[in-house]
């Protein structure tokens, strides 16, 4: 089974005017929520073959909480900062892993989640998790399947 888990970074801090967007940290809520949501995902038994994260500070910090809870390492990728839905999916399909967790940003995360869920998932708020599974064991086959063969759930 091929699995893609999308995690939108936790709530970030907008309190420092002039700070470069890439360097915005998590706020108190984000630092509190990321480990809680990560622990919930870990309780499902899911372990990704790879955890990919945007290089933005808020995404890296969120990814670190998930890495700790899931017992996996984080692979940071510049191309995930501000990535489109198409780039996010292409990154998963070319990862070389059957199960992929991506921590990144909106609007790409919401657009991809809406597309894969056939509109069943609307806006992905901060620290939202959406899990998609394909019955196929190959990304090329999985991404070519009719959307009616996709399964999704959203543990939050």
């Amino acid at each position: 089974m091929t699995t893609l888990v999308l995690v939108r970074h936790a709530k970030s801090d907008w309190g420092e005017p002039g700070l470069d967007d890439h360097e915005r940290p998590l706020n108190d809520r984000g630092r509190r929520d990321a480990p809680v949501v990560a622990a919930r995902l870990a309780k499902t038994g899911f372990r990704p073959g790879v955890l990919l994260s945007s290089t933005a500070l808020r995404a890296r910090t969120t990814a670190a909480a998930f890495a700790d809870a899931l017992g996996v390492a984080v692979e940071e990728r510049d191309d995930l900062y501000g990535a489109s839905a198409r780039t996010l999916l292409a990154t998963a399909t070319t990862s070389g892993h059957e199960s992929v967790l991506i921590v990144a940003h909106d609007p790409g995360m919401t657009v991809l989640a809406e597309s894969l869920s056939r509109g069943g998932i609307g806006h992905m708020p901060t620290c939202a998790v959406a899990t998609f599974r394909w019955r196929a064991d190959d990304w090329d086959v999985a991404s070519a399947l009719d959307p009616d063969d996709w399964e999704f759930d959203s543990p939050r």
Side-chain angles (χ1 to χ4, degrees):
M1 184 168 288
T2 305
T3 305
L4 173 62
V5 174
L6 302 175
V7 177
R8 184 170 172 212
H9 66 77
K11 190 74 173 164
S12 61
D13 190 345
W14 289 86
E16 192 174 329
L19 184 65
D20 182 70
D21 180 69
H22 193 267
E23 298 308 316
R24 278 191 299 114
L26 296 181
N27 67 12
D28 289 341
R29 183 175 124 200
R31 286 189 301 275
R32 179 194 70 223
D33 289 352
V36 170
V37 175
R40 261 188 227 153
L41 181 61
K43 284 182 184 176
T44 70
F46 173 72
R47 295 297 178 271
V50 66
L51 191 164
L52 305 172
S53 175
S54 158
T55 56
L57 179 57
R58 61 194 180 275
R60 292 190 331 254
T61 307
T62 302
F66 279 80
D68 287 346
L70 299 171
V72 298
V74 177
E75 182 182 319
E76 294 177 11
R77 305 235 347 199
D78 290 327
D79 59 340
L80 294 178
Y81 177 65
S84 68
R86 183 178 308 256
T87 298
L88 293 167
L89 186 58
T91 300
T93 63
T94 60
S95 70
H97 295 273
E98 190 174 296
S99 62
V100 178
L101 186 152
I102 296 178
V103 179
H105 313 269
D106 252 3
M109 297 297 272
T110 289
V111 171
L112 181 55
E114 279 184 336
S115 175
L116 294 176
S117 69
R118 301 171 309 283
I121 294 176
H123 173 71
M124 282 189 67
T126 54
C127 215
V129 176
T131 302
F132 300 89
R133 292 181 192 88
W134 290 265
R135 292 180 192 100
D137 287 333
D138 178 280
W139 278 107
D140 290 337
V141 173
S143 61
L145 289 174
D146 185 279
D148 289 336
D149 290 329
W150 297 345
E151 298 174 14
F152 72 95
D153 60 277
S154 187
R156 295 185 357 171

